[in-house]
């Protein structure tokens, strides 16, 4: 009955909640799978190719930067790189040249995460950083939207464009997205079309209904902080609602605002990124409201039709400050210090 | 295994906290059984917080069960009594459950003794407050919840303070432990009697008994007896949530007020004590029986027959475990107290002391050593901390050794409940590092005081 050889000297607690970081990450991955599938359904094999390339690039880059780690595969197993790969793909147009996708993944993980010290250390959402880089480097390619026309095997010629030979010359189909139609022509797209995703756009920006369901699931599982989607959605509705009431001819309706473009994808998956959003309740409210205001400002007055990406990245930059300045009041203390 | 039942009425609680698996049904239905007398007892002189007791006996002396064998070594100290009729066989330095070696008295049991104690009630009517307090000290009574703080010190209300509420802690929020539960179900009259005795001296307005809703039988039993008392005693069902039994959390749940940082419950007019402590009080004043035994939960997934055992203080743990059928082959860890705040025990050759609320033997299934990941800032620790600290932030500072910055995050308020480490999906040793930080900061403050 002597246990001394078997006993370890660790200290309490000796019970542990079943939740683990890889489990949390994998739950997010599972919710992304239907969204990827619907994008393949709408955009055909091109979407699949973009997704595979993006995921492969992200995982490869993780592995590459892990050269100093004991276990080079540990960060691959935690699932966070997989999430970045899937999310990056969902922000890209289906006809996007694959070599550019690869670069996007490399930048997302390399500059967006590994450089900061890996999981949990980065300031900006890696997928959005990758996407922002692509936007800056290849402004034409990234705004070449193919319509969702259900051409399953219609692999877009642009996918196989090679470096220095710009793809947009090959593919003549360059559809407009609901947001660019709104922005430049003041034409609103039907809400039902937006909900079902039968409109143009990047892979994950089309089917609003699935994104809403995925978001609801993540909320129920308590994986994402409810304050973030709630504050973003409320802010965007209220703020854009004011403009809509002033002049519904030129300003989009709140419903359109909420259902179009990267709004839902960004709200459900990127703004709620655990690592890059604030820890304190007050901080998360400010964060969400900030994103909502920026989205409306950029969409209405910015030079770009879409503002979600920049809105989130800007507020990401403010997260460390929000964490510092929105301290929680400790029990038994008068106010937070 | 009986299924857990819950109290159906209204429950109260505090903010935040966690929900570990309870494991209470292993032993919650087991009636308290008396531990038979063993050959030899080891009674450490420093079983309580404060100065060690001073031995009154010498090697070879005959002692009676209940006889005082050591006197209090100061005001914050209590007396010690022999649990058996026997002979003092040794006085020396022996292993103590806290991992230290401490002075202790060993008593060899008289095999022919009946081990009966005469009822010698104490005449409370003729005691003044001061005499009452020294009687409690003389009875060797300490907080039986696990801290073993001398009870009479709490009863000595300082000049200018008033105890408005007597609060009994029957939460037992640590998983696995059921000793308090059984005491409440089996001895509700004595617990209530303890309140009545204490209130003769305190003249409080009201007493509360806080019990987690997973003990409906205890709630009913105490409610029934409380109803017969002319002094108002309210039994409060509290939500099942860890750490509901932490003094501050229970006060907040019951009164809706927070204990100010650095202050004591008494600053809110509250005196808190464990339910078992009140039973010990009644036993001493009504029967003259000092604290010579206590109820210990012997449980865990690696113990053959989990039980609640009335163990004479000083009994070797090995014998108590033997009584419960021994341990299974996959036993991996012995703990004293609950799994959230208990301490690892390396050997079974130590005695049960006044602060031993549970002996817990776990298998490797509960004691997984999980792989640690970086903090993903999920905020689960922030939502868990019952006193609203930011463990994630403090953990990051601790990793970098930035102890002084941790002060700004009020690390000194952390009472090491371990809720943060329990929920952290990245298995970061949060509370473990806060213990280190607090120790370091305390030392530093002491050093600075010296140099000034
Ligand atoms: S629970 Fe762990 S991973 Fe989550 S924020 Fe706290 S320390 Fe970080
Ligand atoms: S151990 Fe300290 S920091 Fe962690 S939850 Fe408990 S009180 Fe909060």
């Amino acid at each position: 009955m002597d246990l001394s050889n078997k006993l370890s000297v660790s200290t309490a607690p000796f019970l542990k909640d079943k939740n683990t970081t890889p489990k949390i990450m994998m739950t997010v991955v599972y919710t992304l799978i239907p969204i990827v599938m619907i994008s393949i359904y709408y955009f055909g094999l091109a979407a699949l190719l973009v997704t595979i390339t993006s995921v492969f690039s992200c995982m490869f880059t993780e592995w590459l930067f892990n050269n100093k780690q004991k276990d080079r595969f540990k960060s691959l197993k935690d699932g966070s790189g997989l999430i970045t790969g899937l999310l990056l793909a969902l922000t890209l147009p289906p006809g996007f040249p694959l070599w550019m996708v690869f670069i996007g993944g490399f930048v997302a993980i390399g500059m967006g995460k590994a450089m900061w010290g890996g999981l949990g250390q980065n300031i900006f959402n890696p997928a959005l950083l990758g996407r922002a880089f692509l936007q800056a480097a290849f402004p034409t390619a990234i705004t070449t939207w193919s319509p969702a026309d259900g051409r399953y095997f219609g692999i877009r010629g642009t996918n196989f464009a090679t470096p220095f030979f710009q793809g947009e010359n090959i593919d003549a189909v360059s559809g407009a997205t609901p947001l660019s139609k709104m922005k430049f022509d003041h034409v609103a797209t039907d809400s039902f079309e937006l909900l079902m995703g039968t409109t143009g756009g990047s892979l994950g920006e089309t089917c609003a209904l699935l994104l809403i369901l995925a978001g609801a699931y993540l909320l129920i599982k308590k994986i994402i902080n409810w304050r973030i989607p709630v504050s973003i959605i409320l802010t965007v509705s209220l703020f854009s609602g004011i403009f809509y009431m002033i002049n519904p001819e030129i300003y989009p309706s709140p419903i359109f605002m909420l259902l179009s473009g990267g709004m839902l994808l960004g709200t459900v998956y990127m703004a709620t990124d655990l690592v890059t959003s604030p820890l304190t309740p007050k901080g998360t409210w400010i964060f969400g409201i900030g994103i909502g205001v920026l989205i409306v400002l950029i969409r209405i007055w910015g030079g770009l039709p879409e503002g979600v990406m920049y809105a989130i990245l800007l507020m990401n930059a403010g997260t460390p400050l929000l964490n510092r300045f929105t301290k929680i009041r400790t029990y038994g203390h008068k106010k937070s210090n | 295994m009986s299924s857990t039942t819950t109290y159906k009425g209204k429950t109260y609680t505090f903010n935040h906290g966690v929900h570990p698996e309870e494991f209470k049904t292993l032993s919650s239905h087991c009636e308290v059984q008396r531990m038979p007398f063993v050959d030899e007892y080891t009674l450490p002189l420093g079983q309580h917080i404060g100065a060690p007791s001073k031995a009154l006996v010498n090697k070879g002396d005959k002692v009676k069960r209940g006889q005082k064998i050591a006197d209090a070594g100061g005001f914050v100290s209590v007396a010690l009594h022999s649990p058996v009729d026997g002979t003092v066989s040794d006085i020396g330095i022996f292993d103590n459950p806290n991992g230290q070696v401490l002075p202790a008295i060993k008593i060899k049991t008289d095999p022919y003794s009946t081990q009966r104690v005469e009822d010698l009630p104490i005449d409370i009517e003729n005691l003044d407050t001061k005499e009452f307090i020294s009687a409690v000290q003389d009875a060797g009574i300490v907080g039986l919840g696990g801290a073993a703080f001398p009870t009479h010190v709490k009863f000595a209300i300082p000049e200018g303070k008033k105890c408005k509420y007597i609060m009994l802690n029957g939460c037992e929020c640590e998983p696995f432990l059921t000793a308090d539960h059984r005491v409440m179900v089996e001895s509700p009259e004595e617990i209530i009697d303890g309140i009545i005795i204490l209130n003769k001296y305190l003249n409080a307005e009201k007493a509360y008994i806080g019990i987690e809703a997973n003990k409906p039988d205890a709630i009913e039993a105490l409610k029934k007896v409380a109803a017969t008392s002319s002094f108002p005693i309210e039994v409060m069902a509290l939500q099942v949530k860890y750490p509901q039994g932490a003094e501050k959390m229970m006060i907040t749940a019951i009164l809706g007020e927070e204990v100010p940082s650095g202050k004591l419950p008494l600053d809110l007019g509250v005196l808190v004590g464990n339910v078992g402590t009140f039973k010990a009080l009644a036993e001493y004043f009504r029967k003259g029986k000092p604290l010579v035994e206590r109820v210990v939960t012997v449980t865990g997934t690696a113990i053959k027959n989990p039980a609640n055992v009335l163990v004479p203080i000083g009994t070797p743990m090995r014998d108590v475990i033997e009584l419960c059928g021994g341990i299974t082959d996959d036993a991996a860890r012995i703990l004293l107290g609950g799994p959230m705040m208990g301490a690892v025990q390396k050997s079974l050759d130590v005695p049960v002391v006044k602060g031993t609320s549970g002996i817990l033997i776990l298998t490797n299934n509960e004691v997984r050593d999980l792989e640690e990941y970086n903090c993903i800032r999920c905020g689960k620790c922030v939502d868990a901390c019952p006193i609203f600290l930011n463990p994630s932030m403090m953990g990051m500072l601790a990793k970098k050794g930035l102890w002084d910055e941790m002060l700004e995050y009020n690390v000194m308020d952390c009472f090491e409940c371990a809720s943060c480490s329990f929920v952290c999906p990245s298995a970061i040793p949060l509370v473990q590092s806060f213990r280190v930080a607090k120790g370091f900061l305390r030392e530093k403050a002491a050093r600075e005081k010296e140099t000034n």
Side-chain angles (χ1 to χ4, degrees):
Chain A
M1 202 163 77
D2 196 23
L3 290 171
S4 44
N5 49 341
K6 285 202 254 177
L7 296 174
S8 83
V9 283
S10 56
T11 51
F14 300 98
L15 285 183
K16 183 74 192 64
D17 188 41
K18 295 209 171 58
N19 231 337
T20 65
T21 292
K23 271 193 207 158
I24 292 179
M25 298 292 176
M26 286 318 285
T27 310
V28 177
V29 169
Y30 297 146
T31 64
L32 282 169
I33 289 171
I35 298 168
V36 168
M37 297 212 317
I38 200 96
S39 77
I40 295 169
Y41 174 77
Y42 283 139
F43 295 110
L45 278 183
L48 184 63
L49 285 176
V50 169
T51 308
I52 291 175
T53 312
S54 171
V55 167
F56 173 75
S57 167
C58 286
M59 300 301 254
F60 174 74
T61 314
E62 284 265 5
W63 179 83
L64 203 65
F65 279 92
N66 277 350
N67 53 354
K68 290 205 190 69
Q69 301 284 312
K70 258 198 292 167
D71 178 3
R72 263 191 112 155
F73 289 91
K74 183 173 172 186
S75 77
L76 297 188
K77 281 184 283 185
D78 71 32
S80 61
L82 187 53
I83 297 182
T84 301
L86 291 173
L87 285 181
L88 175 68
L90 289 174
T91 64
L92 298 174
F96 202 59
L98 297 183
W99 70 272
M100 294 183 190
V101 177
F102 190 87
I103 289 181
F106 182 82
V107 170
I109 296 293
M111 282 173 56
K113 193 167 136 198
M115 251 176 51
W116 299 87
L119 177 68
Q121 309 294 305
N122 47 301
I123 303 257
F124 298 102
N125 178 285
L128 281 182
L129 200 82
R131 153 84 202 209
F133 174 84
L134 292 175
Q135 176 107 41
F138 313 109
T140 334
I142 211 156
T143 45
T144 304
W145 307 102
S146 320
D149 54 6
R151 288 188 296 156
Y152 273 124
F153 302 102
I155 293 173
R156 280 116 180 113
T158 46
N159 281 139
F160 295 107
T162 44
F164 311 112
F165 181 66
Q166 291 299 326
E168 59 265 34
N169 299 334
I170 301 177
D171 197 333
V173 191
S174 169
T177 68
L179 271 176
S180 60
K181 283 186 213 159
M182 184 73 223
K183 174 99 192 166
F184 304 115
D185 312 326
H186 299 300
V187 176
T189 308
D190 182 56
S191 305
F192 183 72
E193 266 183 52
L194 290 172
L195 212 50
M196 300 315 289
T198 48
T199 59
S202 59
L203 297 190
E205 293 183 350
T206 54
C207 186
L209 193 63
L210 261 188
L211 283 164
I212 293 170
L213 287 177
Y217 182 77
L218 291 172
L219 279 176
I220 292 168
K221 285 271 162 188
K222 295 210 175 116
I223 287 180
I224 59 178
N225 185 335
W226 62 274
R227 295 180 187 92
I228 296 175
V230 166
S231 56
I232 296 179
I233 289 170
L234 281 183
T235 309
V236 168
S237 320
L238 275 178
F239 199 34
S240 66
I242 295 174
F243 289 107
Y244 185 65
M245 284 200 320
I246 295 171
N247 190 348
E249 294 291 306
I250 54 168
Y251 294 118
S253 76
I255 300 278
F256 175 83
M257 272 287 198
L258 291 179
L259 294 182
S260 60
M263 173 73 199
L264 284 169
L265 185 71
T267 304
V268 172
Y269 286 105
M270 282 130 175
T272 54
D273 175 7
L274 300 171
V275 172
T276 55
S277 59
L279 270 169
T280 62
K282 213 191 294 168
T284 24
W285 285 118
I286 300 174
F287 179 79
I289 293 171
I291 290 176
V293 169
L294 285 170
I295 289 175
V296 177
L297 288 182
I298 298 174
R299 277 190 178 179
I300 293 183
W301 283 300
L304 296 155
E306 180 54 305
V308 176
M309 172 176 81
Y310 292 111
I312 296 175
L313 284 173
L314 272 168
M315 290 312 289
N316 280 167
T319 295
L321 277 180
L322 285 175
N323 274 339
R324 275 187 82 103
F325 290 115
T326 57
K327 276 196 193 160
I328 317 157
R329 183 193 65 88
T330 304
Y331 175 100
H333 288 246
K334 286 240 162 48
K335 53 179 190 298
S336 47
N337 53 345
Chain B
M1 233 184 275
S2 62
S3 66
T4 331
T5 46
T6 317
Y7 177 74
K8 298 285 177 335
K10 182 164 170 47
T11 58
Y12 301 81
T13 196
F14 61 100
N15 282 327
H16 292 188
V18 293
H19 296 277
E21 200 181 325
E22 293 178 35
F23 295 101
K24 300 260 194 195
T25 48
L26 288 174
S27 57
S28 58
H29 59 289
C30 304
E31 252 178 60
V32 175
Q33 63 184 105
R34 181 174 278 280
M35 172 90 204
F37 290 101
V38 295
D39 291 345
E40 196 175 45
Y41 292 83
T42 309
L43 296 138
L45 291 169
Q47 311 190 11
H48 47 266
I49 290 178
S53 322
K54 282 190 303 234
L56 294 172
V57 289
N58 293 307
K59 200 170 161 181
D61 285 0
K62 288 254 176 254
V63 292
K64 286 258 163 226
R65 176 165 154 88
Q67 179 184 331
K68 187 155 79 170
I69 54 170
D71 231 336
F75 181 64
V76 187
S77 179
V78 292
L80 188 61
H81 305 78
S82 173
V84 286
D85 293 351
T87 317
V88 177
S89 55
D90 204 353
I91 298 180
I93 307 271
F94 302 101
D95 279 341
N96 199 49
N98 62 7
Q100 298 172 322
V101 282
L102 288 175
I105 300 173
K106 275 197 188 264
I107 293 172
K108 194 132 199 100
T109 311
D110 176 357
Y112 305 110
S113 156
T114 55
Q115 305 292 5
R116 285 257 315 266
V117 197
E118 274 175 73
D119 274 6
L120 287 170
I122 289 167
D123 180 12
I124 10 177
E125 302 307 327
N126 292 319
L127 291 182
D128 64 17
T129 307
K130 224 170 142 202
E131 287 165 330
F132 169 73
I133 285 166
S134 67
V136 176
Q137 183 178 28
D138 229 29
I141 299 175
V142 298
L144 295 180
F149 184 74
T151 299
H152 68 280
V153 180
K154 277 195 190 173
F155 290 174
I157 311 288
E159 204 70 48
K161 298 243 163 80
K162 166 94 183 105
C163 169
K164 283 203 290 190
Y165 309 113
I166 300 171
M167 230 179 244
L168 272 65
N169 193 341
C171 296
E172 205 166 48
C173 61
E174 276 267 14
F176 285 102
L177 301 188
T178 56
D180 289 346
H181 184 178
R182 291 316 305 180
V183 170
M184 290 188 284
V185 171
E186 295 173 32
S187 321
E189 294 86 2
E190 279 158 304
I191 293 170
I192 301 286
D193 197 21
I195 302 176
I196 305 291
I197 293 169
L198 173 63
N199 195 49
K200 273 200 166 28
Y201 298 93
L202 292 186
N203 270 316
E205 288 171 16
K206 187 173 178 180
Y208 292 100
I209 306 176
I211 306 172
E212 274 194 354
N214 55 6
K215 301 180 254 298
D217 45 353
I219 294 172
E220 290 311 329
L222 279 163
K223 271 196 169 166
K224 220 161 118 199
V225 185
T228 63
S229 147
S230 56
F231 174 63
I233 300 173
E234 190 174 350
V235 178
M236 308 281 278
L238 307 179
Q239 203 178 309
V240 183
K241 192 163 78 175
Y242 181 87
Q244 182 67 73
E247 205 168 72
K248 289 179 175 182
M249 305 312 63
M250 191 180 71
I251 292 173
T252 303
I254 291 179
L255 295 182
E257 274 176 78
E258 291 183 0
V259 182
S261 171
K263 292 274 165 72
L264 293 169
L266 200 55
D267 292 299
L268 289 182
V270 183
L271 184 146
V272 188
N274 172 271
V275 283
T277 312
F278 280 80
K279 179 185 174 220
L281 210 58
E283 283 185 335
Y284 182 63
F285 286 98
R286 302 296 187 208
K287 295 192 196 136
K289 183 182 151 208
L291 190 67
V292 289
E293 48 200 10
R294 67 155 300 151
V295 180
V296 179
T297 309
V298 186
T299 182
T301 39
I303 197 111
K304 293 219 179 91
N305 309 314
N308 301 294
V309 190
L310 183 63
V311 187
I313 307 294
T315 308
M317 282 186 195
R318 189 176 293 275
D319 291 312
V320 183
I321 286 173
E322 215 66 74
L323 177 80
C324 300
I327 56 179
T328 57
D329 290 338
D330 52 353
R333 207 161 294 188
I334 314 164
L335 302 181
L336 294 187
M340 297 295 282
M341 290 181 88
V344 179
Q345 188 55 44
K346 288 199 207 80
S347 139
L348 290 173
D349 294 309
V350 290
V352 166
V353 292
K354 292 177 180 176
T356 312
S357 53
I359 304 174
L360 190 55
I361 319 268
L362 298 179
T363 65
N364 263 324
N365 287 337
E366 297 85 43
V367 191
R368 280 162 302 161
D369 278 318
L370 293 164
E371 199 173 358
E372 185 182 337
Y373 288 87
N374 287 343
C375 170
I376 55 166
R377 304 192 218 174
C378 63
K380 288 192 190 299
C381 54
V382 176
D383 289 340
C385 181
I387 55 166
F388 320 144
L389 297 175
N390 188 334
S392 162
M393 219 61 165
M394 297 198 303
M396 276 187 257
L397 293 170
K399 268 222 167 98
K400 296 186 196 141
L402 298 170
W403 314 118
D404 291 317
E405 275 84 344
M406 291 173 78
L407 266 186
E408 287 167 37
Y409 284 90
N410 297 328
V411 68
M412 295 316 274
D413 284 49
C414 166
F415 68 103
E416 302 170 23
C417 71
S419 302
C420 48
S421 295
F422 170 79
V423 287
C424 178
S426 285
I428 300 170
L430 296 165
V431 66
Q432 294 88 332
S433 68
F434 305 158
R435 283 191 206 114
V436 175
K438 282 171 64 183
F440 178 88
L441 287 164
R442 237 182 261 128
E443 246 173 57
K444 194 179 153 199
R447 264 204 315 275
E448 273 166 14
K449 220 174 167 187
E450 246 170 56
T451 48
N452 283 344

